[in-house]
Amino acid sequence: MSSTWSTGGACDSWWPNGGYAPVGCGGVGEQLIPGGELVPVPGSAFTGSRGTVKDCTCFNVGRDADNLRKAIIGLGTNEQAIIEILTHRSNWQRQQICKEYKGTCGRELIDDLKGDLSGDFKNVIAALVWPPALFDAKELGRAMEGPGTNENLLIEILASRTNQQLKEIKEAYHSEFKKDLVKDITAETSGDFRRALLILLEARRDENCQVVDERLFKSDAQALYKAGEKRLGTDEAKFIEVLCLRSPAQLQITFDEYKAVTNRSIEDSIKSEMSGDLKHLMLTMVNCSKSTPAYFAEKIHTSVKGLGTDENTLSRILVTRSEIDLLDIQDEYLKLYGKSLYSTIKDETSGDYRTTLLKICGTGN
């Protein structure tokens, strides 16, 4: 089936018979729902100003649901249609499509997609269709299922999400698995690493980036010095308290003061004073406090370097950051590695999976 698709712009929309046709819809911040009513788009804890995926201003939920149905049913699957629709709609719009699809077809869109698709392409499409909090909850569940625990995945999600995101993830986890996320993490982890994760799950980090407490950063720097460099052994509890509860802005001046007091960077001290999962978590907290986009750029680079590609990590980061800060991640990637993320994905992936990731990236750097 060969048809021309728009890029989800403000004036045109693809029609099944090919070509472009104008669509009447609301402007930015409002959407057309069945019946022609314009409704405001609700805010979300999982959206920001530096994403590559935005609300499609020509969104028509009925037509999108119908086009997806046509792309799935019959002989063969129109993968291009699926990619084009789902990568050019915000997650809020995808949720409206899911509701419309269920209402008209009597089936869940996610089930039909998973039944028709396969491999990494299926996984990234499913990630786009699930609500963000539910996708994170599913990833946390996957990290703890079966023998062993994927501590790296726990660290990535719990260290990089905001307080509100963590609250919604806990609710989604309970709704999906009928279990308590805090209890499951308590059962799957131990020691100071568990203590730090549980503090993060309390979702009470200071997120005020405008105000810095000058007395606190001096006392925190001294406390970290006494907890590590100045004593035999390490008081991990103090590192956990400071790194898991202070705002990024507060941590930056604390780290500067710490270096002035000890003549060592906080990263060097953590590497020498800690080990294992706790060291990894504490370094992640430092990296995210300095630049979350740079942290994710490094994670992406790790996922594609060497033999083979970690598609799960690559897909997860692109999807979960696509409406938050993927533009900044691309900037950091280019700065760090001298190559655009777009080009890297083009070189390291293939087929419909590659097409989907490149659409999420947008035009690249």
Side-chain angles (χ1 to χ4, degrees):
M1 176 178 178
S2 71
S3 300
T4 305
W5 289 79
S6 80
T7 57
C11 300
D12 301 311
S13 182
W14 179 86
W15 282 70
N17 60 357
Y20 296 95
V23 179
C25 68
V28 175
E30 57 183 11
Q31 301 296 338
L32 189 69
I33 63 171
E37 181 184 354
L38 290 174
V39 296
V41 177
S44 169
F46 292 86
T47 58
S49 61
R50 296 288 293 163
T52 56
V53 176
K54 308 286 186 181
D55 286 314
C56 174
T57 56
C58 290
F59 178 53
N60 185 306
V61 65
R63 185 174 54 253
D64 281 351
D66 186 52
N67 285 338
L68 284 170
R69 181 185 63 81
K70 292 174 181 176
I72 295 170
I73 64 172
L75 292 174
T77 302
N78 188 341
E79 290 86 356
Q80 182 194 7
I82 294 169
I83 295 169
E84 207 61 36
I85 293 172
L86 296 180
T87 60
H88 290 118
R89 306 294 182 268
S90 67
N91 192 274
W92 182 85
Q93 291 173 329
R94 294 180 209 125
Q95 300 317 307
Q96 308 315 303
I97 294 170
C98 288
K99 292 176 184 176
E100 178 73 7
Y101 190 94
K102 177 69 179 292
T104 57
C105 301
R107 299 186 303 276
E108 298 291 348
L109 174 59
I110 186 70
D111 292 338
D112 283 359
L113 288 168
K114 290 170 73 175
D116 264 36
L117 310 179
S118 62
D120 298 316
F121 178 48
K122 177 183 74 173
N123 293 337
V124 73
I125 290 296
L128 286 168
V129 172
W130 279 314
L134 177 58
F135 175 66
D136 277 348
K138 283 178 173 288
E139 287 293 274
L140 291 172
R142 185 171 66 84
M144 295 183 284
E145 69 182 2
T149 302
N150 186 340
E151 290 85 3
N152 290 341
L153 182 47
L154 295 181
I155 290 169
E156 177 195 316
I157 293 177
L158 298 185
S160 65
R161 302 318 192 239
T162 67
N163 290 339
Q164 185 57 38
Q165 287 170 348
L166 288 170
K167 291 174 183 176
E168 293 184 22
I169 291 166
K170 286 192 289 186
E171 292 174 1
Y173 188 92
H174 186 269
S175 176
E176 177 69 12
F177 299 108
K178 303 299 182 286
K179 295 192 293 183
D180 184 79
L181 178 58
V182 171
K183 289 182 179 178
D184 281 357
I185 285 183
T186 299
E188 292 288 333
T189 58
S190 61
D192 291 313
F193 177 59
R194 174 171 62 193
R195 182 189 309 172
L197 293 180
L198 294 181
I199 288 177
L200 291 174
L201 278 170
E202 291 173 1
R204 55 188 182 93
R205 272 183 287 182
D206 180 6
E207 294 180 335
N208 188 339
C209 293
Q210 306 301 318
V211 179
V212 169
D213 188 328
E214 295 192 8
R215 289 179 299 177
L216 182 61
F217 85 77
K218 290 182 179 293
S219 64
D220 276 349
Q222 284 292 334
L224 291 174
Y225 171 55
K226 293 175 182 177
E229 297 289 334
K230 197 176 180 181
R231 59 175 282 172
L232 185 64
T234 306
D235 179 7
E236 288 86 356
K238 192 61 189 179
F239 278 85
I240 292 170
E241 175 193 340
V242 173
L243 294 180
C244 294
L245 294 178
R246 305 293 187 258
S247 71
Q250 187 73 33
L251 285 175
Q252 294 321 298
I253 60 169
T254 301
F255 297 156
D256 290 342
E257 179 70 8
Y258 182 86
K259 188 167 186 178
V261 170
T262 65
N263 202 31
R264 296 190 74 182
S265 70
I266 190 69
E267 292 97 331
D268 287 342
S269 291
I270 290 171
K271 289 173 184 176
S272 65
E273 297 289 334
M274 299 180 192
S275 62
D277 296 322
L278 180 63
K279 179 178 77 172
H280 182 190
L281 174 58
M282 293 295 98
L283 289 173
T284 300
M285 297 304 300
V286 171
N287 292 336
C288 285
S289 72
K290 289 184 175 182
S291 172
T292 301
Y295 163 72
F296 280 116
E298 292 177 16
K299 287 278 295 183
I300 290 172
H301 180 67
T302 301
S303 76
V304 298
K305 72 178 182 180
L307 293 175
T309 299
D310 180 357
E311 288 86 358
N312 285 333
T313 297
L314 181 60
S315 299
R316 181 175 59 252
I317 294 174
L318 261 68
V319 171
T320 59
R321 310 310 294 188
S322 63
E323 294 185 50
I324 300 174
D325 57 1
L326 188 52
L327 288 172
D328 292 332
I329 292 170
Q330 293 188 67
D331 289 342
E332 292 294 336
Y333 193 93
L334 183 62
K335 193 187 309 179
L336 288 167
Y337 305 109
K339 182 178 181 179
S340 74
L341 177 57
Y342 190 93
S343 296
T344 298
I345 290 170
K346 199 171 182 180
D347 292 341
E348 297 291 335
T349 60
S350 62
D352 293 320
Y353 176 62
R354 173 171 62 188
T355 302
T356 305
L357 295 186
L358 294 178
K359 292 286 186 180
I360 294 172
C361 269
T363 55
N365 297 84

